[in-house]
Amino acid sequence: MKENLTVLIIGAGAREDTISRAWEKSSKVKRLIAAPGNDFIGYERKKEVIVDKNCSLKDPESLLRIACKYNPDRIEVAQDDALAGGTVDLLQKNGFQVFGPTKIPARIEWDKKESREFMQRHKIPSPDFRWFDSNKSPIFRLFDPNKSAKNYVKKLYKKEPDKLTYIKATGLCAGKGALKSTNLDEAIANIQKMKKFGDAGKVFLVEEGLIGEEFSYHVVVDGENYHAFKSAQDSKTVFNFDEGDQTGGMGAISPAMVTAPISEDIEKNLIKKPIDGMRKEGRPYKGVLYLSGIKVDGKPFNIEYNARWGDPECQVVLPSVKTDYVDIIEACLEGRLDRIEIQEDKKSRFCIVGASRGYPNNYENVIGKRIYGLEDAMKIDGVEVYGAGIKIIDGKFYANGGRLFSIVGEGDNIMDARQKACFAMAHVHIKGNNLQHKIDIGWRDVERFLE
Ligand code: GLY
């Protein structure tokens, strides 16, 4: 295998920072390019790291221009908009070696309606749903009242007034497209809110809400063979006590104890079935498949599949991989994942996302404010910091987005890891008291551990 590799990572968040560090760890890698990346990705690295922002994740041609400029030996496309736009297809067509699913298999993430229909076809345990198309004219709905989402939820809530439902945009919405409703008024208001997602919300689902404990898995797939990494659990609401709006993710833990007694069921019904299903349908999946699941009365169900590493779950799962990342990706690209052994460490990891106050809604007034103490947090033993919305000017950090950074503590158990992450976060402050973060990430596992 070629050594001294140049690797291009496509994406801009703390997930891509984590991925870049997995590639950097390999002795076969010499140079990393992050596009568009963020300032923190290039900060104090052991190897040469170039951040090139001269592109857009929604513009595959601009990403191709970056690839042509640096001529990388390998490319990992890690971000959903880029995958949905067909970036992998375009780069492959131009002769690059690319890790990540092409546009059609990646549809499992970017088209929630098609994804649910696929799950139905392959008997993957998942919630009941109906889909609606607001492109259709009101006249059309007049003749067929069942086509009206409002009529549908009225019927649902007549039978069960406090039913849990999710109104879900079918397109990509940065993790914020599933709106929870617990009564008819909320459901109707959420149907109205689909408009704010533009094209992504024109077709939307009304889904039965499942009640249970959530988990996630990341599975590297070569079209046929696969390896599921350690389990994880995301923390999706913006506030503690599982309250507030949905976010892209405010923290994560790995492993997640909820999966232990049902891991075989998860593998059989939620991991193997979609991989086999996509292969049988002639669109074999190659890349990282993300499973978001929920345990309901002892049985696992799907919440969604994504076509990439989760953010912030990547920050707690990928650092545990001991096998050279280049070897894993190589085996994946060559369809021989069944012939390598992938090893992970036995540590627990606890991630807290530091966000701008107001995220996921209005945080514009935080942009440009100084972030203090991150340099100190990075120096703590057993702590890693991964950067997202950060600008660096004269060596100082400034807020430049909603989710700004991830602090990950690692330890022998969840409490050990949690203490390190919380201690590190206590070093950080954003001017004007503008740092927002949670403390109850993985609270169920914390309780299980303490009992
Ligand atoms: N943390 C959820 C996601 O990355 O989709």
Side-chain angles (χ1 to χ4, degrees):
M1 187 198 301
K2 200 177 157 191
E3 306 265 312
N4 292 327
L5 302 176
T6 290
V7 179
L8 166 62
I9 295 133
I10 292 179
R15 165 184 55 208
E16 286 74 14
D17 193 359
T18 314
I19 291 170
S20 76
R21 284 160 208 269
W23 285 100
E24 187 183 39
K25 257 200 304 190
S26 171
S27 59
K28 295 162 190 138
V29 171
K30 183 167 179 226
R31 183 171 77 135
L32 293 153
I33 321 293
N38 64 66
D39 284 357
F40 197 89
I41 295 186
Y43 182 72
E44 290 194 350
R45 300 293 294 248
K46 292 187 190 83
K47 294 185 180 169
E48 184 189 359
V49 178
I50 298 168
V51 174
D52 195 327
K53 295 182 186 159
N54 206 7
C55 58
S56 159
L57 292 166
K58 294 194 174 171
D59 177 3
E61 291 288 343
S62 71
L63 298 165
L64 174 62
R65 282 197 293 277
I66 297 277
C68 293
K69 181 171 168 188
Y70 297 99
N71 200 20
D73 303 287
R74 303 285 178 276
I75 303 176
E76 178 162 357
V77 182
Q79 199 272 350
D80 38 351
D81 290 311
L83 291 162
T87 305
V88 174
D89 313 52
L90 182 66
L91 293 169
Q92 281 179 348
K93 216 167 75 193
N94 282 273
F96 291 101
Q97 290 262 4
V98 194
F99 179 65
T102 50
K103 182 166 180 161
I104 296 300
R107 192 168 181 186
I108 200 156
E109 170 166 14
W110 57 260
D111 184 345
K112 308 284 178 222
K113 167 182 166 286
E114 203 278 341
S115 187
R116 280 283 179 250
E117 289 168 345
F118 168 82
M119 291 179 224
Q120 274 186 338
R121 286 199 294 283
H122 294 278
K123 301 193 173 26
I124 294 170
S126 41
D128 286 339
F129 74 99
R130 287 280 295 268
W131 65 271
F132 298 91
D133 185 345
S134 58
N135 288 312
K136 296 270 195 298
S137 75
I139 302 277
F140 173 84
R141 288 198 293 272
L142 208 66
F143 287 110
D144 185 356
N146 288 326
K147 289 277 186 287
S148 154
K150 281 187 196 156
N151 283 343
Y152 178 64
V153 294
K154 275 183 197 157
K155 274 194 222 155
L156 276 185
Y157 280 95
K158 199 167 168 194
K159 267 199 245 153
E160 236 182 290
D162 52 4
K163 190 176 175 63
L164 176 65
T165 60
Y166 283 93
I167 313 295
K168 216 176 192 182
T170 199
L172 296 176
C173 301
K176 297 163 210 155
L179 307 181
K180 183 177 170 180
S181 340
T182 52
N183 58 51
L184 178 61
D185 289 346
E186 274 177 5
I188 289 179
N190 287 338
I191 289 169
Q192 286 301 116
K193 282 185 196 160
M194 286 294 114
K195 288 196 185 90
K196 78 175 181 194
F197 297 121
D199 282 349
K202 279 190 177 148
V203 175
F204 61 90
L205 314 180
V206 177
E207 262 190 25
E208 169 197 24
L210 299 178
I211 298 170
E213 187 172 346
E214 295 185 18
F215 58 84
S216 44
Y217 272 94
H218 299 78
V219 189
V220 66
V221 193
D222 70 5
E224 180 169 1
N225 309 293
Y226 63 88
H227 173 86
F229 295 107
K230 257 196 247 183
S231 62
Q233 188 175 66
D234 190 2
S235 186
K236 286 196 176 110
T237 59
V238 66
F239 300 128
N240 291 319
F241 314 115
D242 299 328
E243 286 172 3
D245 288 344
Q246 291 287 109
T247 68
M250 291 300 289
I253 55 162
S254 177
M257 290 183 208
V258 60
T259 57
I262 53 165
S263 57
E264 277 176 27
D265 201 346
I266 294 171
E267 176 161 8
K268 179 170 161 237
N269 284 304
L270 300 182
I271 293 176
K272 205 169 176 327
K273 278 186 184 175
I275 295 168
D276 290 347
M278 280 192 272
R279 198 183 61 253
K280 281 181 197 147
E281 291 191 6
R283 45 170 166 159
Y285 191 93
K286 294 181 191 171
V288 172
L289 181 67
Y290 167 102
L291 156 67
S292 167
I294 184 164
K295 182 177 171 184
V296 183
D297 297 331
K299 287 268 160 213
F301 286 78
N302 173 284
I303 295 180
E304 65 176 357
Y305 289 112
N306 290 332
R308 50 165 176 88
W309 285 99
D311 188 346
E313 292 100 318
C314 179
Q315 290 88 300
V316 289
V317 175
L318 188 50
S320 80
V321 177
K322 294 203 293 188
T323 308
D324 191 319
Y325 197 56
V326 171
D327 293 344
I328 298 175
I329 303 307
E330 217 63 34
C332 201
L333 293 174
E334 290 168 14
R336 50 174 180 78
L337 261 184
D338 55 333
R339 278 175 271 147
I340 67 161
E341 197 193 332
I342 298 179
Q343 290 186 334
E344 291 161 87
D345 69 23
K346 298 210 171 345
K347 286 186 183 159
S348 285
R349 287 182 176 78
F350 191 104
C351 168
I352 313 176
V353 169
S356 292
R357 185 172 174 188
Y359 171 82
N361 300 309
N362 303 320
Y363 53 83
E364 280 67 27
N365 61 335
V366 187
I367 304 289
K369 297 243 186 310
R370 176 92 184 265
I371 307 171
Y372 298 96
L374 216 48
E375 309 82 334
D376 302 319
M378 288 164 69
K379 290 186 195 125
I380 299 167
D381 225 25
V383 168
E384 290 291 338
V385 177
Y386 303 104
I390 291 184
K391 206 175 180 62
I392 304 180
I393 304 170
D394 295 334
K396 298 186 177 90
F397 301 128
Y398 295 87
N400 192 34
R403 290 193 293 177
L404 303 172
F405 57 88
S406 289
I407 286 186
V408 177
E410 61 176 49
D412 292 336
N413 55 59
I414 185 164
M415 285 308 285
D416 200 6
R418 179 182 187 250
Q419 275 160 14
K420 287 193 183 123
C422 291
F423 178 64
M425 187 58 96
H427 287 67
V428 187
H429 180 81
I430 299 181
K431 192 171 173 59
N433 194 18
N434 276 306
L435 174 62
Q436 173 175 304
H437 68 85
K438 289 175 78 168
I439 53 164
D440 71 344
I441 295 145
W443 64 267
R444 295 174 184 83
D445 271 11
V446 169
E447 286 186 3
R448 286 182 190 112
F449 181 81
L450 294 172
E451 264 159 19

